[in-house]
CSV table of all heavy atoms in Angstrom, one decimal:
chain,number,residue,atom,x,y,z
A,139,ILE,N,140.5,139.1,210.7
A,139,ILE,CA,140.9,140.3,211.5
A,139,ILE,C,139.8,141.4,211.3
A,139,ILE,O,139.4,142.0,212.2
A,139,ILE,CB,142.3,140.8,211.0
A,139,ILE,CG1,143.4,140.0,211.4
A,139,ILE,CG2,142.6,142.3,211.8
A,139,ILE,CD1,144.8,140.4,210.8
A,140,PHE,N,139.3,141.5,210.1
A,140,PHE,CA,138.3,142.5,209.7
A,140,PHE,C,137.0,142.1,210.4
A,140,PHE,O,136.3,142.9,211.0
A,140,PHE,CB,138.0,142.4,208.2
A,140,PHE,CG,136.9,143.3,207.7
A,140,PHE,CD1,136.8,144.6,208.2
A,140,PHE,CD2,136.1,142.9,206.7
A,140,PHE,CE1,135.9,145.5,207.9
A,140,PHE,CE2,135.2,143.8,206.2
A,140,PHE,CZ,135.1,145.2,206.8
A,141,LEU,N,136.9,140.7,210.6
A,141,LEU,CA,135.6,140.2,211.3
A,141,LEU,C,135.5,140.8,212.8
A,141,LEU,O,134.5,141.2,213.2
A,141,LEU,CB,135.6,138.7,211.3
A,141,LEU,CG,134.5,138.0,211.9
A,141,LEU,CD1,133.1,138.4,211.2
A,141,LEU,CD2,134.7,136.5,212.0
A,142,VAL,N,136.6,140.8,213.5
A,142,VAL,CA,136.8,141.2,214.8
A,142,VAL,C,136.5,142.7,214.8
A,142,VAL,O,135.7,143.2,215.7
A,142,VAL,CB,138.1,140.9,215.4
A,142,VAL,CG1,138.2,141.5,216.7
A,142,VAL,CG2,138.4,139.4,215.4
A,143,THR,N,137.1,143.5,214.0
A,143,THR,CA,136.8,145.0,214.0
A,143,THR,C,135.4,145.3,213.6
A,143,THR,O,134.7,146.1,214.1
A,143,THR,CB,137.8,145.7,213.0
A,143,THR,OG1,137.7,145.1,211.6
A,143,THR,CG2,139.2,145.6,213.5
A,144,MET,N,134.8,144.4,212.6
A,144,MET,CA,133.5,144.8,212.2
A,144,MET,C,132.4,144.5,213.4
A,144,MET,O,131.6,145.4,213.7
A,144,MET,CB,133.0,143.7,211.1
A,144,MET,CG,133.5,144.1,209.8
A,144,MET,SD,132.7,143.1,208.4
A,144,MET,CE,133.4,141.4,208.8
A,145,ILE,N,132.7,143.5,214.1
A,145,ILE,CA,131.8,143.1,215.3
A,145,ILE,C,131.9,144.2,216.4
A,145,ILE,O,130.9,144.7,216.8
A,145,ILE,CB,132.0,141.8,215.9
A,145,ILE,CG1,131.8,140.6,214.9
A,145,ILE,CG2,131.3,141.6,217.1
A,145,ILE,CD1,132.1,139.3,215.3
A,146,LYS,N,133.2,144.7,216.5
A,146,LYS,CA,133.5,145.8,217.5
A,146,LYS,C,132.8,147.1,217.0
A,146,LYS,O,132.1,147.8,217.9
A,146,LYS,CB,134.9,145.9,217.7
A,146,LYS,CG,135.2,147.0,218.5
A,146,LYS,CD,136.7,147.3,218.7
A,146,LYS,CE,137.0,148.5,219.6
A,146,LYS,NZ,138.5,148.7,219.6
A,147,SER,N,133.0,147.3,215.8
A,147,SER,CA,132.3,148.6,215.2
A,147,SER,C,130.7,148.6,215.2
A,147,SER,O,130.2,149.6,215.6
A,147,SER,CB,132.9,148.8,213.9
A,147,SER,OG,134.2,149.0,213.9
A,148,PHE,N,130.3,147.5,214.9
A,148,PHE,CA,128.7,147.3,214.9
A,148,PHE,C,128.3,147.5,216.3
A,148,PHE,O,127.2,148.1,216.5
A,148,PHE,CB,128.3,145.9,214.4
A,148,PHE,CG,128.1,145.9,212.9
A,148,PHE,CD1,128.7,144.9,212.1
A,148,PHE,CD2,127.5,147.0,212.3
A,148,PHE,CE1,128.5,144.9,210.7
A,148,PHE,CE2,127.3,147.0,210.7
A,148,PHE,CZ,127.8,145.9,210.0
A,149,LYS,N,128.9,146.9,217.4
A,149,LYS,CA,128.5,147.1,218.7
A,149,LYS,C,128.4,148.6,219.1
A,149,LYS,O,127.4,149.1,219.7
A,149,LYS,CB,129.3,146.4,219.6
A,149,LYS,CG,129.2,144.8,219.6
A,149,LYS,CD,130.0,144.1,220.7
A,149,LYS,CE,129.8,142.6,220.7
A,149,LYS,NZ,130.7,142.0,221.7
A,150,THR,N,129.6,149.3,218.8
A,150,THR,CA,129.6,150.7,219.0
A,150,THR,C,128.6,151.5,218.4
A,150,THR,O,127.9,152.4,219.0
A,150,THR,CB,131.0,151.2,218.6
A,150,THR,OG1,132.0,150.6,219.3
A,150,THR,CG2,131.1,152.7,218.9
A,151,LEU,N,128.2,151.2,217.2
A,151,LEU,CA,127.2,152.0,216.3
A,151,LEU,C,125.9,151.7,216.7
A,151,LEU,O,124.9,152.5,216.7
A,151,LEU,CB,127.4,151.7,214.8
A,151,LEU,CG,128.7,152.2,214.2
A,151,LEU,CD1,128.8,151.7,212.7
A,151,LEU,CD2,128.8,153.7,214.2
A,152,LEU,N,125.6,150.5,217.3
A,152,LEU,CA,124.2,150.1,217.7
A,152,LEU,C,124.0,150.7,219.1
A,152,LEU,O,122.8,151.0,219.4
A,152,LEU,CB,124.1,148.4,217.9
A,152,LEU,CG,124.0,147.8,216.5
A,152,LEU,CD1,124.2,146.3,216.8
A,152,LEU,CD2,122.6,148.1,215.8
A,153,LYS,N,125.0,151.0,219.8
A,153,LYS,CA,124.7,151.5,221.2
A,153,LYS,C,124.3,152.9,221.2
A,153,LYS,O,123.6,153.5,222.0
A,153,LYS,CB,126.0,151.4,222.0
A,153,LYS,CG,126.2,150.0,222.5
A,153,LYS,CD,127.5,149.9,223.4
A,153,LYS,CE,127.8,148.4,223.8
A,153,LYS,NZ,129.1,148.4,224.6
A,154,GLU,N,124.9,153.7,220.0
A,154,GLU,CA,124.6,155.2,220.1
A,154,GLU,C,124.3,155.7,218.6
A,154,GLU,O,124.9,155.1,217.7
A,154,GLU,CB,125.8,155.9,220.7
A,154,GLU,CG,127.1,155.6,220.0
A,154,GLU,CD,128.2,156.3,220.7
A,154,GLU,OE1,128.2,156.4,222.0
A,154,GLU,OE2,129.1,156.9,220.1
A,155,LYS,N,123.5,156.6,218.4
A,155,LYS,CA,123.2,157.2,217.2
A,155,LYS,C,124.3,157.9,216.6
A,155,LYS,O,124.9,158.7,217.3
A,155,LYS,CB,121.9,158.0,217.1
A,155,LYS,CG,120.6,157.3,217.5
A,155,LYS,CD,119.4,158.2,217.4
A,155,LYS,CE,118.1,157.5,217.7
A,155,LYS,NZ,116.9,158.4,217.7
Side-chain angles (χ1 to χ4, degrees):
I139 297 173
F140 183 40
L141 180 62
V142 176
T143 54
M144 279 191 295
I145 294 173
K146 178 183 175 182
S147 295
F148 272 135
K149 284 182 177 179
T150 300
L151 294 174
L152 285 169
K153 287 180 180 179
E154 54 187 44
K155 293 182 180 180

